Amino acid sequence: MKGLLLRLSALDADAATAVRVIAHFEALLGGGLDPVSLTRSTAGLAGCAAGLELPDGRAARFGPDGAALLGGPEQVSGRVDLEPSGRVWLERPGAPGPFDELVLEWMAITARVLAGRPRQNRVPRAADPALVELVLSGREDAADRTRALRLLGLTPEGPLRVVAVAGGPETNVGMEAVTLLGRGALRDTVRVARVGSLGAVLVQGGGGPDGRSTASPAAELRAALRERLGDRGPVRKPAHGIRTGVGGATDPLDARASWSQARSALRFAVAGGTPEEAVADHDELGPVTLLTDIPVERLRAQADVRRLGNLASEELLVALSAFCRTGSLRQAAGELHLHHSSVAARLARVEKELGWRLRDPQDRFRAQLALYALRLASDGDDE
């Protein structure tokens, strides 16, 4: 950690701060933990009063100076609810601080350990963007890329995957990548840096029996995103705009290939969608990725894509996407947290306006292909 802090000038400052926040709570998880130490430590880290109530009735509340506070919270600036009951919160006068959301998320994660839920993961590390860009470059020679890999704490021998993270205009993708990967169940070595407008994440080995796992982190990323969205209490707004593309496993010296795949997969990811749609895996997409070779103008001009884009309601597209992906009305309804009759009504509107019969496998395939093409066509607006 000390070595990391000495190099902050070379890092995305927000991502580096995110690493420090996560490392702070990981250190608490590694030591003797109790409600008092967690709450007092969080208050000192955040620089404002913090409180905790666990499902078993244990509670604590401390000020930033470490003094215990009596009574209930005075001015809650942010909170995360715990299941089946309980909560953690911060009390900051005025608007929440820029890292309050991250602090609350990790305070909640640590509180779950206190409540008896295990937590296993490694802290992702913010990396020097220049080294990451060198690893992802196709112009530098192998010796320079090998040296960059070793300086990042990676090996040029084991397989490596690259993940691309994008967000909305007000999103710091470096911090979001660190946050998302930090709360996932990844057992791999993870390095994060901002490359242009994207967060670039290098993931290598450690999850398999031989320490050289090539398994995709897509499932862990979706689970982390689902947990994160589920944590958000009524005081906090849901996350919007975060989407992730996962590249295939490659030789580390050919990491640019996985980076290219990750950015292609990212074009299929849906901003603000369900975790299944917000994380797109190049390996899962298979031959569908060939659509990225078609010019955006041709995609937009295709009749099905044009009619799908003219649908009046985003809710119709969401319902159609969930049904095409699951092939089940009830599964789609469960994923969207809607009654199946509501989803059925929306699909009926889609069928009426586009002339499809979605129970027909051929029409459902046609709809899924049009959805993919629409995402690519829409993504072209941001390029």
Side-chain angles (χ1 to χ4, degrees), residues 132 135-136 149 154-155 158-164 181 186 188-191 200-205 212-218 220-221 245-252 254-262 280-284:
V132 172
V135 169
L136 300 179
L149 284 164
L154 302 170
T155 171
L160 177 145
R161 286 180 184 265
V162 186
V163 178
L181 287 148
L186 293 179
D188 304 308
T189 301
V190 179
R191 300 292 181 262
V201 184
L202 308 181
V203 182
Q204 186 176 59
R212 295 165 62 91
S213 171
T214 58
S216 168
E220 288 85 353
L221 290 171
V246 179
T250 63
D251 184 301
D254 193 28
R256 64 185 182 277
S258 185
W259 178 231
S260 176
Q261 292 173 353
D281 187 330
H282 188 274
D283 290 349
E284 292 176 357

Side-chain angles (χ1 to χ4, degrees), residues 313-329:
S313 173
E314 181 68 23
E315 293 179 347
L316 300 184
L317 290 176
V318 171
L320 176 61
S321 178
F323 180 71
C324 287
R325 185 174 57 258
T326 63
S328 163
L329 184 62

